[in-house]
PDB file of all heavy atoms in Angstrom:
ATOM      1  N   TYR A   1     102.581  45.382 104.394  1.00  0.00           N
ATOM      2  CA  TYR A   1     103.951  45.485 103.881  1.00  0.00           C
ATOM      3  C   TYR A   1     104.111  46.553 102.801  1.00  0.00           C
ATOM      4  O   TYR A   1     105.219  47.073 102.608  1.00  0.00           O
ATOM      5  CB  TYR A   1     104.434  44.123 103.364  1.00  0.00           C
ATOM      6  CG  TYR A   1     103.509  43.443 102.392  1.00  0.00           C
ATOM      7  CD1 TYR A   1     103.552  43.728 101.032  1.00  0.00           C
ATOM      8  CD2 TYR A   1     102.593  42.488 102.839  1.00  0.00           C
ATOM      9  CE1 TYR A   1     102.713  43.099 100.138  1.00  0.00           C
ATOM     10  CE2 TYR A   1     101.751  41.844 101.962  1.00  0.00           C
ATOM     11  CZ  TYR A   1     101.814  42.151 100.607  1.00  0.00           C
ATOM     12  OH  TYR A   1     100.956  41.529  99.731  1.00  0.00           O
ATOM     13  N   VAL A   2     103.048  46.889 102.087  1.00  0.00           N
ATOM     14  CA  VAL A   2     103.158  47.944 101.079  1.00  0.00           C
ATOM     15  C   VAL A   2     103.473  49.277 101.752  1.00  0.00           C
ATOM     16  O   VAL A   2     104.426  49.967 101.385  1.00  0.00           O
ATOM     17  CB  VAL A   2     101.871  48.055 100.237  1.00  0.00           C
ATOM     18  CG1 VAL A   2     101.947  49.290  99.328  1.00  0.00           C
ATOM     19  CG2 VAL A   2     101.673  46.808  99.394  1.00  0.00           C
ATOM     20  N   PHE A   3     102.668  49.628 102.762  1.00  0.00           N
ATOM     21  CA  PHE A   3     102.949  50.865 103.496  1.00  0.00           C
ATOM     22  C   PHE A   3     104.323  50.806 104.148  1.00  0.00           C
ATOM     23  O   PHE A   3     105.079  51.780 104.093  1.00  0.00           O
ATOM     24  CB  PHE A   3     101.894  51.114 104.580  1.00  0.00           C
ATOM     25  CG  PHE A   3     102.333  52.166 105.562  1.00  0.00           C
ATOM     26  CD1 PHE A   3     102.231  53.511 105.244  1.00  0.00           C
ATOM     27  CD2 PHE A   3     102.915  51.816 106.779  1.00  0.00           C
ATOM     28  CE1 PHE A   3     102.682  54.483 106.125  1.00  0.00           C
ATOM     29  CE2 PHE A   3     103.360  52.778 107.663  1.00  0.00           C
ATOM     30  CZ  PHE A   3     103.247  54.118 107.334  1.00  0.00           C
ATOM     31  N   ASP A   4     104.640  49.687 104.783  1.00  0.00           N
ATOM     32  CA  ASP A   4     105.900  49.558 105.512  1.00  0.00           C
ATOM     33  C   ASP A   4     107.087  49.834 104.591  1.00  0.00           C
ATOM     34  O   ASP A   4     108.023  50.551 104.959  1.00  0.00           O
ATOM     35  CB  ASP A   4     106.011  48.154 106.117  1.00  0.00           C
ATOM     36  CG  ASP A   4     107.096  48.081 107.176  1.00  0.00           C
ATOM     37  OD1 ASP A   4     107.010  48.806 108.174  1.00  0.00           O
ATOM     38  OD2 ASP A   4     108.053  47.297 106.983  1.00  0.00           O
ATOM     39  N   GLY A   5     107.035  49.278 103.385  1.00  0.00           N
ATOM     40  CA  GLY A   5     108.123  49.489 102.435  1.00  0.00           C
ATOM     41  C   GLY A   5     108.251  50.937 102.009  1.00  0.00           C
ATOM     42  O   GLY A   5     109.355  51.483 101.923  1.00  0.00           O
ATOM     43  N   LEU A   6     107.110  51.580 101.747  1.00  0.00           N
ATOM     44  CA  LEU A   6     107.131  52.983 101.336  1.00  0.00           C
ATOM     45  C   LEU A   6     107.637  53.880 102.462  1.00  0.00           C
ATOM     46  O   LEU A   6     108.414  54.809 102.231  1.00  0.00           O
ATOM     47  CB  LEU A   6     105.723  53.423 100.921  1.00  0.00           C
ATOM     48  CG  LEU A   6     105.157  52.806  99.642  1.00  0.00           C
ATOM     49  CD1 LEU A   6     103.688  53.172  99.488  1.00  0.00           C
ATOM     50  CD2 LEU A   6     105.948  53.262  98.429  1.00  0.00           C
ATOM     51  N   PHE A   7     107.209  53.595 103.690  1.00  0.00           N
ATOM     52  CA  PHE A   7     107.605  54.430 104.821  1.00  0.00           C
ATOM     53  C   PHE A   7     109.098  54.306 105.092  1.00  0.00           C
ATOM     54  O   PHE A   7     109.789  55.301 105.327  1.00  0.00           O
ATOM     55  CB  PHE A   7     106.791  54.048 106.060  1.00  0.00           C
ATOM     56  CG  PHE A   7     107.051  54.927 107.241  1.00  0.00           C
ATOM     57  CD1 PHE A   7     106.580  56.233 107.281  1.00  0.00           C
ATOM     58  CD2 PHE A   7     107.787  54.470 108.324  1.00  0.00           C
ATOM     59  CE1 PHE A   7     106.819  57.056 108.370  1.00  0.00           C
ATOM     60  CE2 PHE A   7     108.043  55.285 109.415  1.00  0.00           C
ATOM     61  CZ  PHE A   7     107.553  56.596 109.439  1.00  0.00           C
ATOM     62  N   ARG A   8     109.601  53.085 105.073  1.00  0.00           N
ATOM     63  CA  ARG A   8     111.024  52.876 105.327  1.00  0.00           C
ATOM     64  C   ARG A   8     111.893  53.505 104.250  1.00  0.00           C
ATOM     65  O   ARG A   8     113.022  53.917 104.516  1.00  0.00           O
ATOM     66  CB  ARG A   8     111.323  51.375 105.437  1.00  0.00           C
ATOM     67  CG  ARG A   8     110.740  50.727 106.698  1.00  0.00           C
ATOM     68  CD  ARG A   8     111.034  49.241 106.736  1.00  0.00           C
ATOM     69  NE  ARG A   8     110.455  48.600 107.901  1.00  0.00           N
ATOM     70  CZ  ARG A   8     111.016  48.556 109.096  1.00  0.00           C
ATOM     71  NH1 ARG A   8     112.188  49.124 109.287  1.00  0.00           N
ATOM     72  NH2 ARG A   8     110.408  47.946 110.106  1.00  0.00           N
ATOM     73  N   ALA A   9     111.340  53.612 103.038  1.00  0.00           N
ATOM     74  CA  ALA A   9     112.077  54.228 101.936  1.00  0.00           C
ATOM     75  C   ALA A   9     111.915  55.742 101.909  1.00  0.00           C
ATOM     76  O   ALA A   9     112.487  56.419 101.049  1.00  0.00           O
ATOM     77  CB  ALA A   9     111.601  53.628 100.612  1.00  0.00           C
ATOM     78  N   GLY A  10     111.144  56.286 102.851  1.00  0.00           N
ATOM     79  CA  GLY A  10     110.933  57.732 102.895  1.00  0.00           C
ATOM     80  C   GLY A  10     110.040  58.251 101.795  1.00  0.00           C
ATOM     81  O   GLY A  10     110.101  59.437 101.448  1.00  0.00           O
ATOM     82  N   GLU A  11     109.164  57.384 101.254  1.00  0.00           N
ATOM     83  CA  GLU A  11     108.335  57.772 100.124  1.00  0.00           C
ATOM     84  C   GLU A  11     106.904  58.129 100.517  1.00  0.00           C
ATOM     85  O   GLU A  11     106.078  58.418  99.649  1.00  0.00           O
ATOM     86  CB  GLU A  11     108.324  56.644  99.086  1.00  0.00           C
ATOM     87  CG  GLU A  11     109.708  56.369  98.497  1.00  0.00           C
ATOM     88  CD  GLU A  11     109.692  55.252  97.478  1.00  0.00           C
ATOM     89  OE1 GLU A  11     108.587  54.833  97.064  1.00  0.00           O
ATOM     90  OE2 GLU A  11     110.772  54.792  97.088  1.00  0.00           O
ATOM     91  N   ILE A  12     106.600  58.097 101.808  1.00  0.00           N
ATOM     92  CA  ILE A  12     105.272  58.485 102.255  1.00  0.00           C
ATOM     93  C   ILE A  12     105.382  59.103 103.642  1.00  0.00           C
ATOM     94  O   ILE A  12     106.199  58.686 104.457  1.00  0.00           O
ATOM     95  CB  ILE A  12     104.312  57.273 102.260  1.00  0.00           C
ATOM     96  CG1 ILE A  12     102.864  57.722 102.459  1.00  0.00           C
ATOM     97  CG2 ILE A  12     104.701  56.266 103.340  1.00  0.00           C
ATOM     98  CD1 ILE A  12     101.843  56.612 102.218  1.00  0.00           C
ATOM     99  N   GLU A  13     104.572  60.127 103.886  1.00  0.00           N
ATOM    100  CA  GLU A  13     104.548  60.795 105.182  1.00  0.00           C
ATOM    101  C   GLU A  13     103.443  60.181 106.041  1.00  0.00           C
ATOM    102  O   GLU A  13     102.375  59.832 105.535  1.00  0.00           O
ATOM    103  CB  GLU A  13     104.290  62.290 104.977  1.00  0.00           C
ATOM    104  CG  GLU A  13     104.324  63.114 106.254  1.00  0.00           C
ATOM    105  CD  GLU A  13     104.047  64.584 105.997  1.00  0.00           C
ATOM    106  OE1 GLU A  13     104.096  65.003 104.821  1.00  0.00           O
ATOM    107  OE2 GLU A  13     103.756  65.306 106.981  1.00  0.00           O
ATOM    108  N   LEU A  14     103.697  60.064 107.331  1.00  0.00           N
ATOM    109  CA  LEU A  14     102.741  59.440 108.242  1.00  0.00           C
ATOM    110  C   LEU A  14     102.414  60.373 109.394  1.00  0.00           C
ATOM    111  O   LEU A  14     103.306  60.970 110.000  1.00  0.00           O
ATOM    112  CB  LEU A  14     103.315  58.134 108.797  1.00  0.00           C
ATOM    113  CG  LEU A  14     102.542  57.468 109.953  1.00  0.00           C
ATOM    114  CD1 LEU A  14     101.167  56.999 109.472  1.00  0.00           C
ATOM    115  CD2 LEU A  14     103.349  56.313 110.535  1.00  0.00           C
ATOM    116  N   GLU A  15     101.113  60.485 109.690  1.00  0.00           N
ATOM    117  CA  GLU A  15     100.655  61.150 110.909  1.00  0.00           C
ATOM    118  C   GLU A  15      99.823  60.133 111.693  1.00  0.00           C
ATOM    119  O   GLU A  15      98.750  59.723 111.240  1.00  0.00           O
ATOM    120  CB  GLU A  15      99.811  62.376 110.598  1.00  0.00           C
ATOM    121  CG  GLU A  15      99.304  63.090 111.862  1.00  0.00           C
ATOM    122  CD  GLU A  15      98.448  64.303 111.566  1.00  0.00           C
ATOM    123  OE1 GLU A  15      98.525  64.837 110.442  1.00  0.00           O
ATOM    124  OE2 GLU A  15      97.688  64.718 112.477  1.00  0.00           O
ATOM    125  N   VAL A  16     100.329  59.713 112.833  1.00  0.00           N
ATOM    126  CA  VAL A  16      99.619  58.745 113.667  1.00  0.00           C
ATOM    127  C   VAL A  16      98.677  59.488 114.606  1.00  0.00           C
ATOM    128  O   VAL A  16      99.075  60.440 115.274  1.00  0.00           O
ATOM    129  CB  VAL A  16     100.602  57.877 114.472  1.00  0.00           C
ATOM    130  CG1 VAL A  16      99.839  56.951 115.425  1.00  0.00           C
ATOM    131  CG2 VAL A  16     101.489  57.058 113.537  1.00  0.00           C
ATOM    132  N   VAL A  17      97.436  59.043 114.651  1.00  0.00           N
ATOM    133  CA  VAL A  17      96.420  59.653 115.516  1.00  0.00           C
ATOM    134  C   VAL A  17      95.736  58.535 116.290  1.00  0.00           C
ATOM    135  O   VAL A  17      95.254  57.578 115.684  1.00  0.00           O
ATOM    136  CB  VAL A  17      95.363  60.427 114.691  1.00  0.00           C
ATOM    137  CG1 VAL A  17      94.347  61.086 115.616  1.00  0.00           C
ATOM    138  CG2 VAL A  17      96.028  61.460 113.798  1.00  0.00           C
ATOM    139  N   PRO A  18      95.700  58.615 117.623  1.00  0.00           N
ATOM    140  CA  PRO A  18      94.967  57.601 118.393  1.00  0.00           C
ATOM    141  C   PRO A  18      93.549  57.444 117.839  1.00  0.00           C
ATOM    142  O   PRO A  18      92.914  58.427 117.437  1.00  0.00           O
ATOM    143  CB  PRO A  18      94.961  58.164 119.813  1.00  0.00           C
ATOM    144  CG  PRO A  18      96.183  59.034 119.868  1.00  0.00           C
ATOM    145  CD  PRO A  18      96.306  59.641 118.505  1.00  0.00           C
ATOM    146  N   GLN A  19      93.042  56.211 117.843  1.00  0.00           N
ATOM    147  CA  GLN A  19      91.792  55.931 117.143  1.00  0.00           C
ATOM    148  C   GLN A  19      90.610  56.787 117.619  1.00  0.00           C
ATOM    149  O   GLN A  19      89.843  57.310 116.800  1.00  0.00           O
ATOM    150  CB  GLN A  19      91.442  54.457 117.276  1.00  0.00           C
ATOM    151  CG  GLN A  19      90.291  54.037 116.381  1.00  0.00           C
ATOM    152  CD  GLN A  19      90.049  52.546 116.448  1.00  0.00           C
ATOM    153  OE1 GLN A  19      89.535  52.034 117.430  1.00  0.00           O
ATOM    154  NE2 GLN A  19      90.449  51.843 115.405  1.00  0.00           N
ATOM    155  N   GLY A  20      90.464  56.951 118.923  1.00  0.00           N
ATOM    156  CA  GLY A  20      89.374  57.787 119.423  1.00  0.00           C
ATOM    157  C   GLY A  20      89.511  59.227 118.978  1.00  0.00           C
ATOM    158  O   GLY A  20      88.522  59.886 118.617  1.00  0.00           O
ATOM    159  N   ASN A  21      90.740  59.734 118.994  1.00  0.00           N
ATOM    160  CA  ASN A  21      90.992  61.100 118.528  1.00  0.00           C
ATOM    161  C   ASN A  21      90.696  61.233 117.041  1.00  0.00           C
ATOM    162  O   ASN A  21      90.154  62.246 116.590  1.00  0.00           O
ATOM    163  CB  ASN A  21      92.441  61.506 118.803  1.00  0.00           C
ATOM    164  CG  ASN A  21      92.706  61.769 120.272  1.00  0.00           C
ATOM    165  OD1 ASN A  21      91.843  61.579 121.121  1.00  0.00           O
ATOM    166  ND2 ASN A  21      93.921  62.200 120.581  1.00  0.00           N
ATOM    167  N   LEU A  22      91.066  60.193 116.269  1.00  0.00           N
ATOM    168  CA  LEU A  22      90.818  60.227 114.827  1.00  0.00           C
ATOM    169  C   LEU A  22      89.319  60.332 114.551  1.00  0.00           C
ATOM    170  O   LEU A  22      88.875  61.190 113.771  1.00  0.00           O
ATOM    171  CB  LEU A  22      91.388  58.974 114.167  1.00  0.00           C
ATOM    172  CG  LEU A  22      91.196  58.877 112.650  1.00  0.00           C
ATOM    173  CD1 LEU A  22      92.039  59.931 111.936  1.00  0.00           C
ATOM    174  CD2 LEU A  22      91.553  57.476 112.142  1.00  0.00           C
ATOM    175  N   ALA A  23      88.544  59.481 115.207  1.00  0.00           N
ATOM    176  CA  ALA A  23      87.094  59.500 115.007  1.00  0.00           C
ATOM    177  C   ALA A  23      86.495  60.846 115.428  1.00  0.00           C
ATOM    178  O   ALA A  23      85.638  61.407 114.730  1.00  0.00           O
ATOM    179  CB  ALA A  23      86.442  58.361 115.785  1.00  0.00           C
ATOM    180  N   GLU A  24      86.960  61.369 116.554  1.00  0.00           N
ATOM    181  CA  GLU A  24      86.397  62.628 117.049  1.00  0.00           C
ATOM    182  C   GLU A  24      86.841  63.820 116.204  1.00  0.00           C
ATOM    183  O   GLU A  24      86.059  64.774 116.020  1.00  0.00           O
ATOM    184  CB  GLU A  24      86.778  62.842 118.512  1.00  0.00           C
ATOM    185  CG  GLU A  24      86.134  64.055 119.167  1.00  0.00           C
ATOM    186  CD  GLU A  24      84.614  63.987 119.250  1.00  0.00           C
ATOM    187  OE1 GLU A  24      84.039  62.922 118.917  1.00  0.00           O
ATOM    188  OE2 GLU A  24      83.995  64.990 119.645  1.00  0.00           O
ATOM    189  N   ARG A  25      88.050  63.788 115.660  1.00  0.00           N
ATOM    190  CA  ARG A  25      88.491  64.872 114.776  1.00  0.00           C
ATOM    191  C   ARG A  25      87.651  64.895 113.498  1.00  0.00           C
ATOM    192  O   ARG A  25      87.299  65.966 112.989  1.00  0.00           O
ATOM    193  CB  ARG A  25      89.972  64.713 114.439  1.00  0.00           C
ATOM    194  CG  ARG A  25      90.912  65.012 115.600  1.00  0.00           C
ATOM    195  CD  ARG A  25      92.369  64.825 115.184  1.00  0.00           C
ATOM    196  NE  ARG A  25      92.764  65.832 114.200  1.00  0.00           N
ATOM    197  CZ  ARG A  25      93.939  65.826 113.561  1.00  0.00           C
ATOM    198  NH1 ARG A  25      94.817  64.853 113.819  1.00  0.00           N
ATOM    199  NH2 ARG A  25      94.233  66.774 112.697  1.00  0.00           N
ATOM    200  N   ILE A  26      87.322  63.722 112.983  1.00  0.00           N
ATOM    201  CA  ILE A  26      86.466  63.642 111.797  1.00  0.00           C
ATOM    202  C   ILE A  26      85.060  64.117 112.137  1.00  0.00           C
ATOM    203  O   ILE A  26      84.451  64.907 111.410  1.00  0.00           O
ATOM    204  CB  ILE A  26      86.445  62.199 111.248  1.00  0.00           C
ATOM    205  CG1 ILE A  26      87.844  61.787 110.763  1.00  0.00           C
ATOM    206  CG2 ILE A  26      85.439  62.075 110.102  1.00  0.00           C
ATOM    207  CD1 ILE A  26      87.970  60.312 110.455  1.00  0.00           C
ATOM    208  N   ARG A  27      84.531  63.628 113.265  1.00  0.00           N
ATOM    209  CA  ARG A  27      83.182  64.019 113.681  1.00  0.00           C
ATOM    210  C   ARG A  27      83.095  65.520 113.924  1.00  0.00           C
ATOM    211  O   ARG A  27      82.098  66.174 113.572  1.00  0.00           O
ATOM    212  CB  ARG A  27      82.780  63.267 114.947  1.00  0.00           C
ATOM    213  CG  ARG A  27      81.295  63.389 115.286  1.00  0.00           C
ATOM    214  CD  ARG A  27      81.013  63.021 116.719  1.00  0.00           C
ATOM    215  NE  ARG A  27      81.545  64.022 117.638  1.00  0.00           N
ATOM    216  CZ  ARG A  27      80.929  65.153 117.955  1.00  0.00           C
ATOM    217  NH1 ARG A  27      79.756  65.458 117.390  1.00  0.00           N
ATOM    218  NH2 ARG A  27      81.468  66.010 118.795  1.00  0.00           N
ATOM    219  N   ALA A  28      84.143  66.089 114.521  1.00  0.00           N
ATOM    220  CA  ALA A  28      84.165  67.522 114.805  1.00  0.00           C
ATOM    221  C   ALA A  28      84.069  68.341 113.523  1.00  0.00           C
ATOM    222  O   ALA A  28      83.381  69.369 113.479  1.00  0.00           O
ATOM    223  CB  ALA A  28      85.431  67.891 115.576  1.00  0.00           C
TER     224      ALA A  28
END
């Protein structure tokens, strides 16, 4: 709920990355 509140208020930017892609981007 902390993130949810900040996001709905426009106070945080979000980049969603599929989990496998996230792990592989970090590994890369």
Side-chain angles (χ1 to χ4, degrees):
Y1 51 85
V2 172
F3 166 80
D4 195 60
L6 292 171
F7 185 72
R8 291 179 182 276
E11 297 180 11
I12 191 169
E13 183 181 346
L14 170 66
E15 180 181 340
V16 175
V17 182
Q19 190 175 73
N21 287 4
L22 180 68
E24 186 63 7
R25 288 180 67 187
I26 296 169
R27 192 198 70 83

